[in-house]
Amino acid sequence: MTLSTRDSADHIYAHGLRNQWHPVVPSRFVEPGGMRRVTALGENWLLFRKSDGALSMLADRCPHRGAPLSLGKHLGDRVACWYHGVEVDGAGTVTSVPGLPGCNLEGKTLVTSLPVREVGGAILAYFGDEEHPEPVELTLPEPLADEEISVFLCYAEWDVPWRFAMENLLDPMHGAFLHSESHTMFAGDTSAKFRIRETERGYFFEKTDQRGVNFDWVELCHTGVDWVDLSIPYPPSAGPGGPFGIVGMACPVDAGRTGVFFWRYRKVSDWQRDTWRFLYKTLIEARHWEVLEQDRVVLESMPADADQRENLYQHDLGVVRLRRLYQAQAGRQSKAQPVSAR
């Protein structure tokens, strides 16, 4: 199973862009010696981890008769299919066919295996196509690579297209309304003007007349994986350390479901770090989940064609920029046809 350039641009736009890294699930979902079936970009995959912690990601399809490998048995460094016992290692190579030892399947790499990395408590995988099988360079978000920054990962799955989840992050103005009663976004004006500021790795969408009060800016970054960075002020009750930031990513599970990853971070050290981490786990985390729940309820309530029947205005420049970017990428990645006008 290999993602194909023969798919239409509409299919790619709906199920997720290729030739880049995507987050899949939190690392804790796959314990040493464990396996987990996951869906990403509309395809079924198997994550399995050796007892030493080494992780592999395979297409969830036995090369013999197509049965799900995830129903099979973990044999330490390989998986045995439940249907006929065919054994496949972490590279996708058939190592044994117990029913007919020495048959011509043995020694052949017949199952797609994706490059994986674990970053900030999450599993990232590279999803290429037949023309781009080798992974692109991955530059990690600075907050996930800086040891001086303390991070907590929040993960959830929402019944929304992945684009809606990303567009929500490129829409700072919703914070003043949807989250107006939250512990961090209760202040600031409910009217604003915005601008787009291009960078070498993406662009900022930011308010021109307010900073450091609410959800006032967001940066979209393309560094081998798509992610956003934003900063929101903390009230004094959140302890020492200044504002907190969020690194956000989205995994297209399929056309109608998305895994959302939010790393909440703060640059704190020594006793301030300990104080913040204690306050976060005992008090602040629950409040953050309340904010995420507000996003989920609104996004899951939107019709599937919400992005095709709209009347946009100046606050939506960041969303329009994002759509054009992703539609152009989907078109380049497909040899079938361009993405439909939306």
Side-chain angles (χ1 to χ4, degrees), residues 192-273:
K193 292 183 178 180
F194 286 86
R195 67 176 180 180
I196 291 177
R197 179 161 53 91
E198 303 287 344
T199 68
E200 292 184 354
R201 63 184 186 181
Y203 65 91
F204 280 91
F205 188 55
E206 57 193 2
K207 295 177 183 176
T208 62
D209 45 8
Q210 179 176 292
R211 196 77 167 188
V213 179
N214 201 307
F215 179 9
D216 296 331
W217 63 271
V218 61
E219 182 187 10
L220 175 71
C221 305
H222 313 286
T223 62
V225 61
D226 281 6
W227 55 284
V228 300
D229 188 24
L230 58 98
S231 178
I232 296 177
Y234 257 158
S237 61
F244 81 100
I246 297 176
V247 166
M249 297 183 192
C251 175
V253 175
D254 54 34
R257 190 166 177 81
T258 302
V260 292
F261 296 73
F262 298 103
W263 287 269
R264 288 178 163 83
Y265 70 87
R266 208 173 188 188
K267 192 165 187 175
V268 283
S269 58
D270 300 327
W271 67 271
Q272 292 185 349
R273 186 185 189 97

Side-chain angles (χ1 to χ4, degrees), residues 152 237 274-287:
F152 291 97
S237 61
D274 295 336
T275 299
W276 178 64
R277 292 188 69 85
F278 174 78
L279 285 172
Y280 183 88
K281 296 305 293 183
T282 58
L283 178 66
I284 301 169
E285 184 175 26
R287 295 175 177 176

Side-chain angles (χ1 to χ4, degrees), residues 288-338:
H288 283 169
W289 279 111
E290 291 175 3
V291 172
L292 285 181
E293 182 65 6
Q294 293 167 350
D295 287 317
R296 184 195 66 79
V297 169
V298 167
L299 293 177
E300 289 189 351
S301 299
M302 293 172 66
D305 64 348
D307 58 350
Q308 301 174 48
R309 301 174 64 182
E310 301 172 311
N311 296 280
L312 305 180
Y313 56 94
Q314 200 264 353
H315 290 177
D316 304 307
L317 288 174
V319 170
V320 172
R321 176 76 170 81
L322 183 73
R323 288 179 184 171
R324 289 175 177 172
L325 175 71
Y326 284 161
Q327 287 170 1
Q329 286 183 263
R332 289 193 297 269
Q333 291 175 9
S334 172
K335 293 184 179 296
Q337 62 187 51

